[in-house]
Amino acid sequence: MKELTLVLTAANRDIEIAIDKNGVFTAPRIDARESLDARILLNRPDGAFALKPFVRTPGLPPNTRRLGDFRAICEMRWAIERDDGSIPLPTRLLAEGIGTPCRSWLIKVIFREPRPIAEVWLVSGQRREALAQERIRQDRTSFSPPLHDDSWPDDTLIELKFVEDTKQ
């Protein structure tokens, strides 16, 4: 990790990105026009590292996230996986034909949690609904938020209740 460097190339400029000792970095904000051709480059051969996007709106309680953050993570994951060749061409074409994994009701995108999940709640204004139990995997370590459902705006809060929290 000591000699790992990361550069964001966008338009006609390169932006060096600091990486902490745990391999975590924060990508800088860039103009939307620049983002069309932006690339993150590591000084390692392709396949030597896997990037795992993580987006979290600051200021929220520890067990609360925004649906828009999960949508952004999904879009980044899809862009990385689509471009790195890990998804076979027929699968990519099928996924894009139905609106990409992040916008199709036919594909459930899974997000893992470090602790077993008891419940997931969606909250938007006065609307509050429990996530359907079939969207929480049986092993309780992951769930599939309704990324495709535009009736839930990006500012929708996702409240995670973990198994050990419900025992108290």
Side-chain angles (χ1 to χ4, degrees):
M1 293 297 271
K2 287 182 181 179
E3 297 175 14
L4 185 66
T5 61
L6 186 63
V7 175
L8 173 67
T9 65
N12 293 323
R13 64 186 180 129
D14 292 344
I15 305 165
E16 289 189 34
I17 301 173
I19 306 170
D20 75 12
K21 65 181 181 185
N22 297 315
V24 176
F25 65 90
T26 300
R29 289 188 178 271
I30 58 173
D31 184 277
R33 292 173 302 214
E34 290 181 298
S35 69
L36 296 175
D37 295 322
R39 296 284 181 253
I40 293 178
L41 303 175
L42 292 169
N43 65 334
R44 295 291 192 274
D46 287 348
F49 280 86
L51 297 178
K52 183 180 175 187
F54 182 78
V55 177
R56 183 168 178 85
T57 298
L60 295 176
N63 295 351
T64 303
R65 313 259 178 74
R66 282 181 63 252
L67 182 58
D69 293 347
F70 286 108
R71 287 177 172 149
I73 291 168
C74 182
E75 293 293 346
M76 286 184 275
R77 279 175 37 189
W78 175 243
I80 291 166
E81 292 168 4
R82 181 189 62 225
D83 291 348
D84 74 5
S86 64
I87 300 173
L89 180 61
T91 305
R92 269 193 337 252
L93 293 174
L94 176 64
E96 289 178 347
I98 59 175
T100 80
C102 307
R103 293 292 173 186
S104 173
W105 64 272
L106 295 170
I107 300 173
K108 289 182 174 65
V109 179
I110 305 298
F111 292 89
R112 296 199 179 285
E113 289 297 322
R115 301 180 287 165
I117 302 165
E119 301 172 351
V120 179
W121 289 87
L122 299 148
V123 181
S124 179
Q126 298 300 314
R127 184 178 175 196
R128 180 179 176 84
E129 292 180 23
L131 186 68
Q133 284 297 309
E134 62 264 14
R135 288 188 160 272
I136 301 173
R137 307 258 328 248
Q138 283 186 330
D139 66 4
R140 313 302 290 179
T141 62
S142 54
F143 72 104
S144 177
L147 303 177
H148 67 285
D149 188 345
D150 290 333
S151 74
W152 293 105
D154 284 345
D155 286 338
T156 298
L157 297 179
I158 296 181
E159 297 175 352
L160 298 164
K161 297 197 185 298
F162 296 103
V163 171
E164 69 266 15
D165 295 341
T166 59
K167 291 179 182 178
Q168 299 173 3

